[in-house]
């Protein structure tokens, strides 16, 4: 069972100060980039709530936020812990499990990107989960490549890593000076493919603040995942999509392409791909009424209400 505590250990109450807030558990799928990005963005708005993880469930926390992990939600409900279950999409694999009915289900997906079907009963949309800080560094440099290999067949992931990924990373270093690859799973495969590439570093998404890395990067390449769309949209930043891998990414890329003309990173030799001063992208084409970028705040508010006044 995967977990994440992006805020680190809960701070102790200062001497003579107010008592610490209620204790809540934060959990996400470490093998899915969207889950990790979503949990980190919501966690940034939890204020004085004390964050814990699966290493500290005794006594049980007063509430929990679980991203995409149906098994974790079920276990917490069995322990009597009320859960806000945050779904990415829905863009999971066919036949994926539905979260237990007793959880408060929220679905994050940009308002401009219609759902491929009706949401689960009782599920409420959140809209875009934007990063807490939407500014970017004035001295941006290098390339950030956010890569998701979640639910990608091993043969397809291997062919991409040894071919297109290696070419993209080499071109990124040549054009922008450096390349940081943030991946959710398949780290051994990715590191092996890029081991001999100078100027490239590979980071595990569960241990990295990808939103902060994006603020400092000049060029942003990403798998077609919801968290990357939200990041670029919130910061009005250029985004080029890495060729989609697996059925879920191909479906999402197709849906997004019907609404928004995002460029492809399929040709690493295209000089326009590496131009840091390129226009911010097509975000101005979107109806601002569809997304207020406050999805993370809304989910955090729901968790706070559950923690302070459990059902």
């Amino acid at each position: 069972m995967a977990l994440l505590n992006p805020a680190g250990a809960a701070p102790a109450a200062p001497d003579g100060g107010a008592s610490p807030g209620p204790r809540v558990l934060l959990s996400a799928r470490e093998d899915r980039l969207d889950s990790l990005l979503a949990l980190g963005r919501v966690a940034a708005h939890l204020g004085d709530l004390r964050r814990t993880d699966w290493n500290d469930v005794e006594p049980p926390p007063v509430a929990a936020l679980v991203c995409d992990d149906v098994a974790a939600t079920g276990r917490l409900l069995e322990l009597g812990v009320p859960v806000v279950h945050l779904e990415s999409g829905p863009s999971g694999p066919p036949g994926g499990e539905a979260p237990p009915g007793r959880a408060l289900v929220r679905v994050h997906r940009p308002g401009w990107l219609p759902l491929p079907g009706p949401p689960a009963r009782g599920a409420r949309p959140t809209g875009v989960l934007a990063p807490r800080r939407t500014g970017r560094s004035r001295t941006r440099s290098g390339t950030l490549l956010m890569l998701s290999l979640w639910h990608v067949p091993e043969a397809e992931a291997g062919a991409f890593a040894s071919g297109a990924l290696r070419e993209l990373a080499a071109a990124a270093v040549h054009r922008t000076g450096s390349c940081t690859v943030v991946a959710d799973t398949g780290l051994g495969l990715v590191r092996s493919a890029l081991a001999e590439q100078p100027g490239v570093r590979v980071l595990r998404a569960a241990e990295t603040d990808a939103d902060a890395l994006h603020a400092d990067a000049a060029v942003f390449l990403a798998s077609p995942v919801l968290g990357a769309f939200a990041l670029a949209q919130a910061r009005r930043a250029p985004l080029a999509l890495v060729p989609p891998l697996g059925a879920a990414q191909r479906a999402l890329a197709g849906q997004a392409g019907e609404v928004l003309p995002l460029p492809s990173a399929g040709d690493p030799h295209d000089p326009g791909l590496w131009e840091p001063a390129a226009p911010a992208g097509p975000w101005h084409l979107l109806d601002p009424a569809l997304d207020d970028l406050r999805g993370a705040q809304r989910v955090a508010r729901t968790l706070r209400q559950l923690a302070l006044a459990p059902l």
Side-chain angles (χ1 to χ4, degrees):
M1 186 174 294
L3 57 93
L4 174 70
N5 185 11
D15 292 341
S19 299
R23 187 164 140 270
V24 296
L25 183 144
L26 306 180
S27 179
R29 293 193 60 108
E30 288 192 351
D31 60 349
R32 187 173 181 185
L33 185 58
D34 270 334
S35 298
L36 297 165
L37 295 173
L39 188 58
R41 290 171 190 171
V42 174
H45 295 280
L46 293 181
D48 62 349
L49 293 181
R50 291 182 294 155
R51 301 89 185 272
T52 188
D53 58 31
W54 287 101
N55 294 315
D56 183 20
V57 292
E58 292 295 339
V62 298
L65 171 65
V66 177
C67 296
D68 295 297
D69 193 334
V70 173
T73 292
R75 177 184 171 190
L76 287 163
L77 291 173
E78 290 175 358
L79 294 173
V81 179
V83 178
V84 177
H85 182 92
L86 183 58
E87 285 191 343
S88 303
S91 58
E97 296 179 82
R102 289 177 292 154
L104 296 180
V105 181
R106 301 293 183 264
V107 179
H108 77 87
R109 189 178 177 95
W112 56 267
L113 191 60
L115 289 169
R121 178 180 297 181
R124 296 184 183 179
T126 69
V128 169
L129 303 181
R132 185 176 181 88
R133 294 179 177 84
T134 56
R136 301 177 72 199
S137 170
R138 293 183 179 180
T139 57
R140 299 187 294 272
S141 64
T143 296
L144 171 63
L145 196 163
M146 287 172 53
L147 176 65
S148 178
L149 295 179
W150 173 78
H151 208 67
V152 174
E154 185 175 352
E156 186 177 0
F160 173 79
S162 61
L165 178 61
R166 188 176 292 173
E167 292 181 7
L168 275 172
V173 173
H174 175 69
R175 295 281 186 172
T176 69
S178 66
C179 180
T180 298
V181 179
V182 175
D184 48 15
T185 189
L187 269 293
L189 183 71
V190 174
R191 288 189 172 120
S192 176
L194 302 178
E196 298 179 2
Q197 299 259 16
V200 177
R201 60 175 176 165
V202 178
L203 304 178
R204 184 170 177 253
E207 300 169 348
T208 303
D209 186 344
D211 291 350
L213 290 174
H214 175 260
D216 294 329
V219 174
F220 183 32
L221 314 178
S223 298
V225 294
L226 297 168
F229 292 155
L231 182 57
Q233 179 183 351
R235 289 177 171 166
R236 291 295 190 266
L239 166 63
L241 295 180
V242 172
L245 302 171
Q249 287 185 27
R250 282 190 284 273
L252 186 59
Q255 293 155 12
E258 293 179 2
V259 181
L260 206 60
L262 289 169
S264 169
D267 180 8
H269 303 295
D270 178 5
L273 184 64
W274 310 108
E275 178 52 63
W283 308 111
H284 66 281
L285 299 175
L286 300 178
D287 182 352
L290 294 177
D291 290 300
D292 63 8
L293 306 181
R294 286 185 260 177
Q297 291 96 313
R298 278 191 284 273
V299 177
R301 187 181 307 118
T302 300
L303 184 61
R304 289 184 62 84
Q305 291 170 342
L306 203 59
L308 296 171
L311 298 177

